Amino acid sequence: MAVDLEPSWFKVLEGEFEKPYMKSLKDFLQQEKQAGFTIYPKGADIFNAFNHTPFEKVKVVILGQDPYHGVGQAHGLSFSVQKGVVPPPSLKNIYKELADEFTDFKIPNHGELTAWADQGVLLLNATLTVRAHTAGSHQKRGWEQFTDKVITELSEKRSGIIFILWGNYAKQKEALIDKSKHFIISSAHPSPFSAYNGFFGSKPFSKTNEILKKEGKEGINWQIV
């Protein structure tokens, strides 16, 4: 399976692309296209998270579940949408929490989080594609096995990474992380259905920067411009 992936990640993950599950996933995606379905994000953006955040530069992982399935939203970074698209409710709640944590944080008029990815925040969805307007439509087709491998490789070959896990789905990934050499920050999901049950007030962003500082690393500038 030919893939255009950032070189450091390709070195780590190259073997996955020849495994049966990945070949089955490729066949499934081709069948979706042949059936006339639109797939998000577009092909060039599927591995955007990796291309913006090389393996050795990952400082933080924010784990999402599915790409957004609306027109023009998904571009390969979890919780992020392209400029010109109204930020979804979960992202609006993320911005509210940031404004609460940092008095100088100004809520932006867009939802594009590339600036975080470029600083070492791996914005990883567990499933990397979705059928337009059909949430969860590409789950259990192989992507989860691939992204579990991503988390496992980070856990085994790196140290001092902060994993931010929001909601029960993300928290299940704790089993893949060596907690003796990494950090986990978990809470309720920022979705409007759960944000008031433990996300608001959890201070994941300031906690992340406190850990990075203690580890002798530069904190993340969370401000989006």
Side-chain angles (χ1 to χ4, degrees), residues 100-161:
D100 185 62
E101 290 187 53
F102 303 101
T103 55
D104 59 347
F105 181 83
K106 295 180 175 60
I107 294 178
N109 61 3
H110 66 87
E112 205 229 67
L113 306 180
T114 302
W116 294 359
D118 290 339
Q119 295 178 74
V121 181
L122 183 67
L123 296 168
L124 180 68
N125 279 316
T127 303
L128 298 187
T129 59
V130 69
R131 184 192 298 175
H133 313 300
T134 312
S137 49
H138 288 186
Q139 291 178 6
K140 298 181 181 179
R141 294 288 184 170
W143 280 130
E144 294 92 342
Q145 186 171 340
F146 178 76
T147 53
D148 279 358
K149 177 67 171 176
V150 169
I151 296 169
T152 300
E153 289 291 319
L154 286 169
S155 177
E156 292 179 354
K157 295 179 179 175
R158 295 286 315 281
S159 62
I161 293 174

Side-chain angles (χ1 to χ4, degrees), residues 24 73-74 92 126 158 160 187:
S24 295
Q73 291 183 310
K92 287 182 178 179
R158 295 286 315 281
S187 74

Side-chain angles (χ1 to χ4, degrees), residues 16 32-33 82 117 135 147 168 179 181 191 199:
E16 296 302 296
E32 288 279 274
K33 290 179 180 179
Q82 298 181 76
T147 53
N168 292 332
K179 290 178 276 294
K181 61 175 184 172
S191 160
F199 173 74

Side-chain angles (χ1 to χ4, degrees), residues 28-40 130-134 137-138:
F28 167 72
L29 293 174
Q30 288 177 338
Q31 290 166 9
E32 288 279 274
K33 290 179 180 179
Q34 290 168 359
F37 295 115
T38 298
I39 295 174
Y40 295 133
V130 69
R131 184 192 298 175
H133 313 300
T134 312
S137 49
H138 288 186

Side-chain angles (χ1 to χ4, degrees), residues 63-107:
L63 186 67
Q65 188 167 357
D66 257 8
Y68 296 118
H69 53 83
V71 176
Q73 291 183 310
H75 64 120
L77 305 178
S78 64
F79 295 99
S80 179
V81 293
Q82 298 181 76
K83 287 184 177 179
V85 177
V86 176
S90 291
L91 183 53
K92 287 182 178 179
N93 285 338
I94 289 170
Y95 285 164
K96 286 180 184 178
E97 176 63 18
L98 277 161
D100 185 62
E101 290 187 53
F102 303 101
T103 55
D104 59 347
F105 181 83
K106 295 180 175 60
I107 294 178

